Amino acid sequence: MGLGMTLGSHLTPLARSHIQRADVVFAGLSDAIVEVWLGRMHPDVRSLQPCYAEGKSRLKTYREWVELMMTEVRAGKRVCGVFYGHPGIFAWSPHKAIKAARAEGYEAHMEPGISAEDCLYADLGIDPGRYGCQHFEASQLLFYERRIENTGYLVLWQVAHAGDWSLGISRTGPAYRQVLVDLLARDYPLDHPVIVYRAATLPIQQPRIRRIALRDLPQVPLSAEETVVLPPAAAMKPNRAVLDRIEALDRLEAGAKT
């Protein structure tokens, strides 16, 4: 289940009920304060954070998370995995744990939560339905041939890890982000505005919003939790061929009614 992004504020009554009725609660959270708060709701909260280690592949860590949860499920316990934000967004282990549990005949489901994406739309005043919105994990955008549509918003996740093949580096450096900037420069001018965003995780915090030029992205310190947003760089162009077809259909429909 998802705890949401901001401590306490985003927890739904249903999510709270799942936590309180569980035999064991596993916590994959981004803040020790949030773990302490969660521990007040249940006597057996087990942090998944100790599975991380410097230089250790994150994928290996995530597999360990799944095995820890499945061990308790196989023991006949009611298990609740609690993750910050939405448990299905940029989260490998929750999907894998549910799949593994169902494959072994156990009942399992995912309870959604308010994600960083949801907070981003609210805090930055973006309506993804106005111009459209593309989302890419930064390394995936680098490693594969993807088509960028610069008439809509472009949201890049985990830019601090951009270019990391190993899934074990805590953060890559400016040279890696320069590769990303060079790729983006095919579709955006170097002076194009870029928003560096981080959602608030505590009620006393404000979201962190920094506005820079694209060319400056390599030199700006980034945390793993920050997301990079590029506003539209060009106006949408009417698709004349499709519009002509639609107009022809409209005329046929109007003629059929007369």
Side-chain angles (χ1 to χ4, degrees):
M1 55 144 284
L3 201 62
M5 295 303 298
T6 305
L7 173 62
S9 305
H10 295 167
L11 184 67
T12 67
L14 182 57
R16 182 184 292 272
S17 173
H18 283 306
I19 293 170
Q20 293 173 337
R21 290 188 293 117
D23 296 315
V24 182
V25 176
F26 286 95
L29 304 173
S30 59
D31 195 306
I33 295 176
V34 182
E35 283 193 8
V36 171
W37 175 81
L38 181 62
R40 295 175 181 173
M41 277 192 283
H42 197 281
D44 191 2
V45 174
R46 305 179 190 179
S47 175
L48 294 169
Q49 294 298 320
C51 293
Y52 283 115
E54 187 68 30
K56 178 181 178 181
S57 169
R58 293 192 297 278
L59 186 56
K60 183 177 180 180
T61 295
Y62 300 153
R63 285 180 176 142
E64 290 175 357
W65 289 7
V66 173
E67 189 56 32
L68 285 169
M69 289 186 281
M70 286 303 301
T71 296
E72 297 301 327
V73 170
R74 294 177 188 124
K77 295 181 181 179
R78 185 182 180 93
V79 177
C80 182
V82 179
F83 298 85
Y84 69 91
H86 188 300
I89 298 179
F90 284 90
W92 185 88
S93 300
H95 287 290
K96 193 66 175 180
I98 288 173
K99 184 177 180 180
R102 289 174 177 172
E104 296 182 25
Y106 300 102
E107 181 182 349
H109 81 280
M110 181 178 289
E111 188 64 35
I114 294 176
S115 69
E117 178 186 351
D118 300 314
C119 296
L120 182 150
Y121 292 144
D123 292 333
L124 300 184
I126 293 174
D127 179 357
R130 185 175 182 187
Y131 300 113
C133 193
Q134 284 183 302
H135 293 256
F136 292 110
E137 196 274 336
S139 291
Q140 185 187 92
L141 184 63
L142 288 175
F143 297 158
Y144 300 95
E145 294 184 5
R146 307 302 301 266
R147 182 178 297 176
I148 293 174
E149 172 52 70
N150 70 355
T151 63
Y153 287 93
L154 177 65
V155 181
L156 301 177
W157 300 89
Q158 299 182 335
V159 174
H161 297 290
D164 174 24
W165 277 106
S166 69
L167 298 179
I169 300 174
S170 58
R171 278 179 231 173
T172 53
Y176 289 83
R177 291 202 295 279
Q178 186 61 55
V179 177
L180 177 62
V181 168
D182 292 344
L183 178 69
L184 294 172
R186 300 174 186 175
D187 298 286
Y188 300 89
L190 288 174
D191 61 355
H192 189 70
V194 168
I195 304 168
V196 180
Y197 169 80
R198 179 176 179 175
T201 56
L202 299 176
I204 60 173
Q205 293 176 339
Q206 293 294 320
R208 187 180 187 190
I209 301 170
R210 293 182 285 167
R211 301 179 190 274
I212 62 172
L214 177 59
R215 65 164 56 88
D216 298 326
L217 183 60
Q219 306 305 324
V220 173
L222 292 180
S223 69
E225 297 80 16
E226 286 181 299
T227 302
V228 171
V229 181
L230 280 74
M236 293 185 288
K237 297 179 181 178
N239 189 329
R240 197 64 258 168
V242 171
L243 289 172
D244 289 344
R245 288 185 63 186
I246 297 297
E247 289 172 3
L249 288 172
D250 288 344
R251 288 193 295 270
L252 284 175
E253 287 289 328
K257 294 177 181 178
T258 58

